[in-house]
Amino acid sequence: MSNPLQLSIVTFPKGAYITVEGKQNADQFYILRTGKVQISKEVQVVSEEGGNILNPGDFFGVISTMSGHSHIETAQAVTDVSLIAVHRDKFDLLIERNTPVALKIIESFSRQLRHLDEALARLTQKTTKAESDVSHLFRIGEFYAKQNLFNLAYYCYHQYIKFSPDGENVAKTRERMAKIKPYSKAVFLDGDDKNFNRVYPKDTMVFAETMPGKELYIIQKGSIKITKMINDNEVMLAVLKAGDIFGEMSLIENKPRSASAIAMEDATLLAVNRENFENMIKTQPQIINRLTTTAAKRMWLMYKQLANTLIQDPIGKLWDYLMIQIEHNRVEIKRGTPFTFNFGVRDLGPMVGLPPAVGNTAVMELLKNSIIKNVDNKIHCTDVDGLVKQASYYRKMQKIELARRDSKR
């Protein structure tokens, strides 16, 4: 591989540690030139997409570097190795001068995101194969219709007929649509190939899970919530704000949407189709930088959420999840520092995969702690340092429990 950017070439002997899990301030990632590298994690919840042994041409450390968070993995040289070190500040140049490498990273991120998303859903929500079928759109529409959320219901019903015209529930769907049409203000039911700047009013759907995806979106204004329907219950996965990018996995991989996107407030979006995306790669490397950074943050968060699945104590799960959000938002860990989360008490249990009864009990117990409040339907912490101490205690207890189990094997 040529070295047009004058990037650093570094070498490590067999057995050397290149990155260490948990180390802060990751500022460069590596592309393997020669040799082999082994990737490991302190808590291996699911197998790595692509395996744990890296070969020439592979890269590592990108998630931590581009997300600006601590290392999520340890990389050790299996043989003597030679690496290209890419500093975060030079990523724009790498994209501009070596687009194939940048695309390989983006495509790898997309595969890993889908792999992690499926693993997380499997571990926390016990999803079934039927829920990945396009007929699932009808069941989603039914859920929203029962909630009197007619914008969302109408959108899902429309997509069900569009993508499953011979489905067993088409006649029933047409009846439902006729009844709720006067109350629905669903927009862009079939997209708009001529208008890439779109306004989605509050509580309208951008896309629904299991739909084919042909566009990614950049939020110009407002906020979007990402949700997934699991066992006839809506689970909120994330809240995105201006500057965030979403929907890229389906565009890059040409696969169905893995979740739904709904406007939490009036939102202005820039829609990017495949043709425009390919042009942007060549002419606007900063967009690819943002996309990589967004995907890296999302994957870092997913790895942390996967580790959360190992915590057995329901209250411990909640404390740990709140701490993950504190880390994700780079909140200063200081005594007396307040922080308001962008989700409420009803969302917390489903976010960590707790059954409703168990989740409600755990949340009520959480609220007994004086530093956790329910303010305007949002979780508010009055002391971030106290939250971190609580979560750290449960993480420590879980490590002790895992070590105890391993010793009995």
Side-chain angles (χ1 to χ4, degrees), residues 293-307:
T293 300
T294 297
K297 290 178 179 178
R298 205 172 298 165
M299 277 194 285
W300 182 91
L301 188 59
M302 280 190 179
Y303 274 114
K304 293 290 185 179
Q305 289 174 308
L306 282 166

Side-chain angles (χ1 to χ4, degrees), residues 157-183:
Y157 286 146
H158 178 89
Q159 304 307 326
Y160 170 67
I161 291 177
K162 179 179 178 180
F163 295 112
S164 186
D166 299 319
E168 61 177 333
N169 291 305
V170 166
K172 188 184 296 183
T173 300
R174 293 190 189 281
E175 292 178 10
R176 300 275 205 275
M177 291 178 72
K179 288 180 180 179
I180 68 174
K181 186 174 182 179
Y183 312 103

Side-chain angles (χ1 to χ4, degrees), residues 50-314:
N52 285 5
I53 299 295
L54 305 183
N55 296 291
D58 291 333
F59 42 84
F60 60 95
V62 187
I63 295 173
S64 301
T65 299
M66 298 310 296
S67 70
H69 289 304
S70 58
H71 283 291
I72 57 171
E73 60 198 6
T74 294
Q76 186 176 18
V78 176
T79 65
D80 292 348
V81 297
S82 172
L83 309 164
I84 298 174
V86 182
H87 196 275
R88 185 190 301 118
D89 294 341
K90 290 192 175 182
F91 191 61
D92 273 346
L93 274 176
L94 177 67
I95 297 168
E96 187 178 336
R97 304 278 185 86
N98 204 326
T99 302
V101 171
L103 276 176
K104 184 178 179 181
I105 291 174
I106 292 293
E107 290 166 358
S108 172
F109 271 22
S110 183
R111 290 194 305 272
Q112 288 183 64
L113 272 169
R114 191 173 292 276
H115 176 70
L116 293 174
D117 179 66
E118 291 171 354
L120 189 58
R122 189 169 60 250
L123 288 167
T124 61
Q125 313 298 343
K126 309 295 189 294
T127 54
T128 63
K129 192 171 183 180
E131 290 172 340
S132 64
D133 187 87
V134 73
S135 63
H136 187 47
L137 286 164
F138 172 75
R139 293 191 292 276
I140 301 173
E142 292 285 86
F143 172 84
Y144 287 128
K146 290 176 183 177
Q147 304 294 318
N148 294 327
L149 297 171
F150 299 126
N151 295 341
L152 307 183
Y154 194 90
Y155 185 93
C156 292
Y157 286 146
H158 178 89
Q159 304 307 326
Y160 170 67
I161 291 177
K162 179 179 178 180
F163 295 112
S164 186
D166 299 319
E168 61 177 333
N169 291 305
V170 166
K172 188 184 296 183
T173 300
R174 293 190 189 281
E175 292 178 10
R176 300 275 205 275
M177 291 178 72
K179 288 180 180 179
I180 68 174
K181 186 174 182 179
Y183 312 103
S184 168
K185 296 180 181 178
V187 295
F188 302 111
L189 291 168
D190 295 303
D192 186 344
D193 292 336
K194 295 181 180 179
N195 181 14
F196 296 110
N197 286 290
R198 303 176 192 166
V199 176
Y200 289 82
K202 180 181 179 181
D203 295 328
T204 57
M205 188 168 276
V206 182
F207 57 72
E209 60 184 282
T210 74
M211 280 177 58
K214 61 178 183 178
E215 296 171 325
L216 65 80
Y217 301 86
I218 304 172
I219 304 175
Q220 307 292 307
K221 183 180 179 182
S223 59
I224 298 290
K225 67 176 179 178
I226 306 299
T227 69
K228 199 174 185 71
M229 198 64 62
I230 307 294
N231 298 328
D232 298 322
N233 185 43
E234 184 187 45
V235 176
M236 186 169 71
L237 304 179
V239 176
L240 308 179
K241 57 186 184 303
D244 286 337
I245 300 173
F246 64 97
E248 74 285 347
M249 285 195 293
S250 292
L251 176 67
I252 293 169
E253 293 190 278
N254 196 28
K255 290 188 176 182
R257 302 291 189 187
S258 62
S260 300
I262 301 168
M264 285 190 74
E265 56 186 333
D266 291 355
T268 302
L269 308 180
L270 174 64
V272 180
N273 61 22
R274 190 175 305 280
E275 182 181 355
N276 289 338
F277 180 65
E278 291 174 356
N279 289 334
M280 290 171 77
I281 290 173
K282 299 173 184 176
T283 61
Q284 301 183 55
Q286 69 275 13
I287 295 292
I288 306 306
N289 193 332
R290 281 171 60 190
L291 179 57
T292 306
T293 300
T294 297
K297 290 178 179 178
R298 205 172 298 165
M299 277 194 285
W300 182 91
L301 188 59
M302 280 190 179
Y303 274 114
K304 293 290 185 179
Q305 289 174 308
L306 282 166
N308 179 274
T309 65
L310 295 179
I311 298 176
Q312 300 300 308
D313 188 313

